[in-house]
Amino acid sequence: MASDIIIAGAGIAGLTTALALSKFGLSCTIIEKHGGQNEVGAGIQVPPNATHIIDQLGLLPALSEKSSIPEAICLGDAATGKILVRLPANQSTSEPPLLTTNRALLHAVLYKAAQIDPLISLKTNCALSQVTENQAGVSIDASHDMPDSPLHGEILISADGI
């Protein structure tokens, strides 16, 4: 199987990369060693520069309905509970908002969008076992039973986190 781009990792970075490349008409195959949607983590802040990208991908309404738009970010002393600094947030209505959400919720929005994008193919339970560079780009073999292995692409992007 040929794809313009192969992405190793279906986390937030890999999914966002694939969705952005799809907007430019590039096909992507995402290889993920885990099965399906399994992002874990705690609460995160999604700053305006990131919500701008999410908005460009058409996903800001889906993420906003599962997030909070804080009026301020407060930094405090954990031992005493005393607020040390209060930073105003979301004062402008013309800029993308700062959101607070759960990492798994952000991942779910991105994953769902990637699943329905016709230019993105998600291959789960597939760990990369070998990468070979050639004149046409790269060929990768993946572990487990993947009927279309080896995969071929022009480039390989590593977004496999830790």
Side-chain angles (χ1 to χ4, degrees), residues 5-162:
I5 298 165
I6 300 168
I7 299 173
I12 291 170
L15 293 168
T16 302
T17 300
L19 290 163
L21 291 168
S22 173
K23 294 287 185 193
F24 289 96
L26 297 169
S27 65
C28 298
T29 299
I30 302 173
I31 304 296
E32 173 57 48
K33 67 181 173 182
H34 300 291
Q37 207 176 315
N38 65 348
E39 191 71 21
V40 296
I44 60 171
Q45 295 176 23
V46 184
N49 59 337
T51 55
H52 175 73
I53 293 167
I54 292 165
D55 189 30
Q56 294 295 306
L57 295 174
L59 302 175
L60 188 55
L63 182 60
S64 293
E65 75 181 34
K66 299 176 181 186
S67 303
S68 297
I69 301 174
E71 292 179 11
I73 300 296
C74 298
L75 305 175
D77 183 315
T80 65
K82 181 181 175 186
I83 301 298
L84 302 174
V85 177
R86 185 179 191 280
L87 304 169
N90 296 311
Q91 302 298 306
S92 171
T93 57
S94 63
E95 294 182 21
L98 172 121
L99 300 176
T100 56
T101 191
N102 182 285
R103 183 177 178 85
L105 293 174
L106 171 58
H107 185 264
V109 168
L110 296 168
Y111 197 88
K112 181 178 178 184
Q115 283 182 308
I116 62 174
D117 190 309
L119 291 177
I120 298 173
S121 174
L122 281 162
K123 308 271 185 195
T124 58
N125 293 312
C126 298
L128 295 182
S129 59
Q130 182 176 351
V131 178
T132 307
E133 191 173 358
N134 53 47
Q135 294 292 90
V138 293
S139 295
I140 64 164
D141 287 313
S143 62
H144 304 291
D145 295 326
M146 195 163 77
D148 48 2
S149 188
L151 295 174
H152 306 285
E154 292 181 33
I155 62 172
L156 170 64
I157 297 173
S158 177
D160 58 349
I162 303 170

